[in-house]
Amino acid sequence: MKNIFFYIVLFLLVTGCSTVKHVPDNHYLLDKVEVHSSARNIPKEKFKPYIKQNQNVRILGMFKFHLWLYNLAGKDSTKGINKWLKRIGEEPVLFDDFLSAQTASQLKLFMYNKGYYHSDVDTIIKKKRKKAKVEYKINSGRQFEINEIGFRAEDAVIDSLIQEEVGNSLLKKGKPFDVSIHDAERERIMRILKDKGYYGFSKEFVYFKVDTTVGNYMVNDSVLIKSIRKQNAGGKDFLYEHPLYKINDVFFRMNFDSHRALNEKEDYYSRFDTLVYGDFNFLYIDNLKVKPEVLVNSTFISPGQLYQADRVDKTKALLSGLKLYRFINIRFEELTEEDEEDGNKLLNCYIQLMPAKFQSYSIDIEGLNSSGNLGAGGNLEYKHKNLFKGAEEFTFNIGGSMQKQLTRQKEQFNTTEFGVETSIVFPKFWMPFKIKRFRQRFNPKTSLSAAYNYQHRPDYTRTIANGKISYLWNSSKRVSHQVTPIGVNFVLIPTIDSDFLDDIEGNYLWYSYQDHLVTNTTYSIVYNQQEVDKRKDFWYVNWNLEEAGNFLNMWSSVFSEKPAEDYYTVLGIRYAQYVQSDIDIRYHHYLNKINSLAYRFHLGVGYPYGNYKVLPFEKRYFAGGANSLRAWPVRGVGPGSYSADDADYFNQTGDIKLEVNAEYRFKLFWILEGALFLDVGNIYTIRSDISPEGGLFRFNDFTEKLAVGTGMGMRFDFKYFIFRLDTGMKLRDPVEIKGERWIPGSRKYVWDDFAFNFAIGYPF
């Protein structure tokens, strides 16, 4: 294993050599670009868009791997291998004096727009051995600040609206002058007026006048909102007030086909029948495939309202959430001046809906991964997105799999699993009363689901049957909630190996292999900044809270006498009682087009009490495997410093999980990506009466029991899925004696200090 790491380091060193191999004479490879500014309030990242020429990309901050690939190509451009190497590699960036001068000019303009009117940019170029290093040194000077701010509109009505919003202006007295803030203020004013009925207003009507002659590095700022200017027949300018627009009629064009509309024009539109539902018009061909009520409840736009841009955006988002349409277009048609109402112009709104396929099915036979254990399985899934013509999403799934796992003695054994699951999601809340405009505000959904799962291992056979009802809604664009008022889990273990049962009898694992019932209530909130297909930094936070068994315990204690076993049962099955909470925090930071960093913090705590001494097996925490501490096998670490070397199977679980992960990811070539990672964490038990030795969580020494692992990985990005190979290496093993838990410097590495994980998708 040491040799492997030696060759990897040697390979990375080689990639840094001969970078100027194909640099022509009298040219220089742009080796490094740096920007140094005396303006400490501007982060270095802000200068990047203005640098017109950057050096070749690096991985690990030092190796120009992609340039090395390009340089591997021979001179014969007709050979396929040379074409491929040049395509996946990166051409050497040759220093360009013109682009360097442009960069200096753009940086100076950027500083000017930031209010540094007296800034200078010096360009320092160092050339040596066919390499050029460029430094842009910005002497910023003092930044100008806003002294006085004035707002005025030529239109009296608009002027009163803007004066009401002055307190919310992005321009503040005493704040630094910044052109980008002015641009944002222009957008803010435009948005305000568009949400007040000014359909035809645009940001081109908003002007700024800046007086820099005030002195003492201050400026006076004036915001002017102009009226419409038109010329009469004699060429003289006249000012017109911006008109207000009111919604006249709303038309839903169902099953709209944009290609036929473009080609057939009026002939196509003449084929639509019309249905009037309340104040809305439904235009359709043949028949309505979606109940009008669903679409009416999914729009914020109604006849008689003033036009509001915000309502248009919300309507499009709500209709998209139905998953019934692959294309949604909302357009407005201005009526003639003769149709004006109370001096307001009128708009007809056309919501054009191009349907997606309501039904689909898929049959998959594929390799599977569960926490690093590979296997094979088959799956059949059927979906109907409009089961009762009310945008109800029905799913039925049936599948089975077989996986090979390893005992501690590295012996293989098979696990077999079979399951069936069905669910239906309604685009509304099931409740005995209606809340006006509730769907428009929160996009609520009600989910009903049921599942049955059969699992067979050499040591036991287990069946799990569950069902639940959940309510889901969005409180904002990035925040979603889910409440499950009632969920029921029946876990039965019809057969269990007697030797295995003897091994676990008397310890904390024994309770996990008993028949039990779970009736729980859960709440979950998710905050997600991630945007699909956009490479930008984002946060993701998921917090869950769950309680179980309290209602059953209250009922039993009132209406039943406690039996001799000292616990209550339902239908002869003991029910669990516990409270549990988890939080998962992730941050993704994109350094450039090929390098990124990902971080995760996870904390989970479950406390069993009352009718059941431990958390149910399916609720207990474990660590190790492909998505956790990757230097350990799944369920192969903890709790705490507890060692289970005498057990046949990796089956270590706990009541608390603490884990921190960091991963550096970099694109290599074609579909291949690389990664370096660091994992820290462990699981712990919470009750001293059934805790194994060394497994109990204590505030004064829990950090002494942390496991630390590192490693590297390769990822194959096939667009639809990512296949991942990770090699983990232990750095700190909590089962070692205190003082020798850090492996480097304490003992030699052995084969068991490494773990190889195969998985689908990123770990976080």
Side-chain angles (χ1 to χ4, degrees), residues 289-518:
K289 297 181 179 179
V290 180
K291 293 177 182 178
E293 176 188 4
V294 175
L295 299 179
V296 169
N297 289 336
S298 299
T299 180
F300 291 80
I301 307 169
S302 299
Q305 295 176 338
L306 285 176
Y307 169 85
Q308 293 183 38
D310 184 58
R311 290 179 177 270
V312 177
D313 295 339
K314 289 180 177 179
T315 297
K316 186 173 288 189
L318 207 54
L319 289 171
S320 297
L322 294 175
K323 300 180 181 179
L324 298 178
Y325 303 102
R326 58 188 174 92
F327 178 75
I328 299 169
N329 181 42
I330 302 177
R331 71 177 188 86
F332 294 88
E333 185 178 281
E334 185 176 343
L335 303 185
T336 60
E337 293 183 359
E338 289 77 14
D339 294 322
E340 291 183 5
E341 182 181 290
D342 300 328
N344 298 322
K345 289 185 176 294
L346 296 179
L347 294 171
N348 278 343
C349 175
Y350 292 90
I351 303 175
Q352 299 174 157
L353 305 172
M354 187 178 295
K357 290 183 178 180
F358 291 163
Q359 299 186 67
S360 64
Y361 71 91
S362 62
I363 301 175
D364 300 316
I365 300 175
E366 57 184 358
L368 301 175
N369 173 273
S370 176
S371 301
N373 298 308
L374 291 181
N379 186 72
L380 169 65
E381 183 179 76
Y382 168 76
K383 279 189 176 183
H384 197 306
K385 299 178 182 178
N386 193 36
L387 188 63
F388 304 121
K389 294 188 176 182
E392 303 89 356
E393 186 175 358
F394 172 78
T395 303
F396 177 81
N397 190 298
I398 184 170
S401 66
M402 179 178 288
Q403 292 179 312
K404 284 190 176 295
Q405 299 187 21
L406 295 175
T407 67
R408 288 185 177 274
Q409 292 74 35
K410 306 302 180 185
E411 297 175 354
Q412 288 190 348
F413 67 94
N414 291 331
T415 64
T416 304
E417 187 170 342
F418 169 81
V420 59
E421 182 177 1
T422 185
S423 67
I424 185 168
V425 179
F426 298 85
K428 59 183 178 181
F429 271 1
W430 276 18
M431 52 178 56
F433 53 89
K434 287 187 176 182
I435 303 177
K436 190 176 180 180
R437 310 298 286 183
F438 188 73
R439 168 156 174 76
Q440 288 91 333
R441 293 174 60 190
F442 299 110
N443 190 18
K445 296 179 180 179
T446 302
S447 172
L448 303 176
S449 64
Y452 173 81
N453 189 263
Y454 169 87
Q455 302 168 356
H456 175 71
R457 290 167 47 116
D459 45 349
Y460 66 85
T461 298
R462 179 171 57 189
T463 65
I464 303 173
N466 61 64
K468 64 181 180 180
I469 178 172
S470 301
Y471 296 97
L472 306 90
W473 74 97
N474 300 326
S475 58
S476 71
K477 181 180 178 181
R478 303 190 185 280
V479 180
S480 60
H481 308 258
Q482 177 174 330
V483 168
T484 301
I486 181 66
V488 180
N489 249 30
F490 278 97
V491 181
L492 303 177
I493 303 179
T495 62
I496 186 168
D497 182 74
S498 58
D499 292 336
F500 174 70
L501 192 60
D502 291 341
D503 289 340
I504 65 174
E505 189 171 3
N507 69 31
Y508 74 107
L509 285 176
W510 186 86
Y511 294 94
S512 298
Y513 291 91
Q514 307 298 310
D515 295 346
H516 60 270
L517 167 67
V518 177

